[in-house]
Structure formats: C-alpha cells, structure tokens
Amino acid sequence: MSLSTGVARRPALVAVAHGSRDPRALRTVQALLQRVRARRPGLDVRLGHIELNEPLLSETLAGLRGAAVVVPLLLGRGYHVKTDLPRALAGAPHLRGVIAAPLGPHPLLAEALYLRLREAGWRGYGNGSGHAVVLAAAGSLDPDSAADTERAAALLSSRLGGVPVLPGYASAATPTVPAAIDMLRRAGSAAGPGGRIAVASYFTAPGRFATQSAAAAPWIAAEPLGAQEAMARLVLHRYDQAVGALAFPQPVPPALVPPALARPRTEVPLLLR
C-alpha cells in the first residue's frame, strides 16, 4: 500500500520474451509494451528475457520489490513456461509473484493472425475456396505445447471461415513447415481453381524461426504477431487473470503442474489454464 495515497499498489507486470539475435525482436517487444502501458496508465510494466537479450528475467526480478505478475510473451505451454519461469521466480524470494498463462491459445491471437494475413494479401477466402494456411510455430517436445498450437490453428480456421489450417513447426516437432505445405497439397486442400497455401507466423516477434518459416511459403507469408492492439489487450487480460492468485494464493492443482514443479514451491502460483 502506498503511504502517500493509502491505495494498494498494483503488482508489476513483468513481460517475458524469449530473446533473439534479430534486432527487430527487441524493438517489436518494446513497441508492444508501449501499447500495454498506453492501455493501463500507471501500471509498472517491465521486460525480461529468457536468453540472448537484456535485461534477462533474473535481472528484472532482482530490481523489483513487492508483488509481480510474470506474463510470458510465449504462445503455449512448453519448457520455458513450465520450468524456466518458475525457476526464475523461485530465485527471487523477495517478491510475491505469480506466473500468468501463456498468451496462447486465445481468440485474440486468432484475430491478430487474421489481421497479419490480411496485411500480406489474404482476402475473403472461405471454406471451399481452395486456399489453405500453414500456422508456422516454434515447436516443442512438450505435448501440451503441440495441443495449444493445434487449438490455435482451429481458432484461426474458424476466424477464416473454415479454411483448412495446419500447424507446421520450425524445430523440435513435426510436421515441419515445408512438410505441412506438402501435406495440404496432397490432401487436396489447395487443389481447387487458383487454390494457394499461405503461411501465418505464430511468433510474437521476428527472429530466426519466423524468417525460416516465411521463406518456405509458396504464396504469401504473414508477419509475426508483433505490437498489434489485440496483443496488448491479451497481455493485460493474462495479467488481470493472474492478479487474483496473488490476492488469494492457492496451491496449483497437480494436473496443471509438471511433476518436477509439483513438489517444492506451492507458494509460487502457476496459472496454466
């Protein structure tokens, strides 16, 4: 509580980006957080990275006091969300902290993907148009991550009026983006008159995987999600969902936590729903 105003201070929002050697990635994430700040004046919004860029998450957490909500700018449940972020928060015992759910899957992401496809040249193609989309994602060995990407593909398909959308991965999982393109062709999803396959970029910011995936596109390739208004709304939505866990901390249901995390620190809530 602030001594000067008597009003409880809101927990800081710590956005966590993966990090990239591509200089566009940091600029994109910073632009996204500027939109977040504009939508929520007065909220303390910080940035931390898992690797490759500064500040690292551990450095950001070390510089905070009080309460914080860690919001992954990641699109599904994988190793970083389940292991790296809880470990980082456990290493900041001076904070009351909670980890929000990753950004995806969510209808706001489907809207952001749709708008990026429109910018790339997608028009009002619906089911039966002969067109199809590969949803290019990073990939993970965690089956929950794959399930989240498949759900995101279903949400995008619905937003596109039933156009087939198939996930393709840049690493760790199958099918790869080129293989997903071939699968759609063999299935006849882009066999109609003028039927084409687009690549939607299921990445928060530019980077090696996004560039690699776009290069495989036989037709249009959308830009990464970036600093769209829908993304800023979603970051704040995940923050708001998690704030309640700081006010009323409860142990996380075991089904939502990997075994390695279920034992030591139930005082660090992890919101994976």
Side-chain angles (χ1 to χ4, degrees):
M1 179 175 293
S2 168
L3 295 177
S4 60
T5 65
V7 177
R9 181 176 298 170
R10 289 175 290 181
L13 188 163
V14 180
V16 183
H18 183 277
S20 172
R21 292 184 177 87
D22 188 324
R24 296 173 298 169
L26 179 57
R27 293 197 297 267
T28 298
V29 171
Q30 289 172 333
L32 172 59
L33 296 190
Q34 282 298 101
R35 280 191 179 270
V36 170
R37 294 183 183 101
R39 293 189 66 89
R40 194 70 59 89
L43 179 62
D44 186 4
V45 178
R46 308 285 183 100
L47 173 62
H49 293 91
I50 294 169
E51 60 180 355
L52 298 177
N53 291 120
E54 294 182 347
L56 294 173
L57 175 58
S58 58
E59 297 168 345
T60 299
L61 295 177
L64 285 169
R65 293 296 180 269
V69 172
V70 175
V71 180
L73 302 182
L74 305 171
L75 304 177
R77 297 166 294 168
Y79 184 85
H80 294 313
V81 170
K82 292 184 178 182
T83 301
D84 286 340
L85 301 193
R87 182 182 294 146
L89 194 53
H94 61 287
L95 288 176
R96 287 181 62 232
V98 62
I99 300 170
L103 298 185
H106 194 277
L108 281 170
L109 285 181
E111 184 64 22
L113 288 164
Y114 169 76
L115 292 174
R116 285 294 191 232
L117 283 168
R118 292 280 297 179
E119 290 171 358
W122 186 273
R123 295 299 174 254
Y125 314 119
N127 190 21
S129 66
H131 290 61
V133 175
V134 169
L135 182 64
S140 170
L141 296 175
D142 191 317
D144 285 338
S145 178
D148 288 345
T149 305
E150 289 165 7
R151 175 61 180 152
L155 289 169
L156 179 58
S157 175
S158 177
R159 181 64 183 86
L160 293 172
V163 167
V165 178
L166 180 65
Y169 300 99
S171 71
T174 56
T176 64
V177 172
I181 292 168
D182 288 342
M183 290 168 66
L184 287 169
R185 283 174 171 154
R186 289 197 303 270
S189 297
R196 295 177 175 179
I197 298 172
V199 172
S201 189
Y202 199 47
F203 302 96
T204 303
R208 179 168 62 91
F209 285 165
T211 301
Q212 169 187 314
S213 299
W219 181 37
I220 58 174
E223 292 293 320
L225 292 156
Q228 296 186 73
E229 193 64 29
M231 292 288 286
R233 290 173 57 198
L234 183 53
V235 169
L236 286 168
H237 173 65
R238 293 304 194 205
Y239 170 84
D240 291 336
Q241 284 182 314
V243 164
L246 279 173
F248 306 102
Q250 297 178 9
V252 183
L256 300 180
V257 183
L261 300 180
R263 293 188 297 271
R265 284 183 63 94
T266 55
E267 70 269 29
V268 179
L270 179 67
L271 304 183
L272 296 183
R273 286 168 288 190

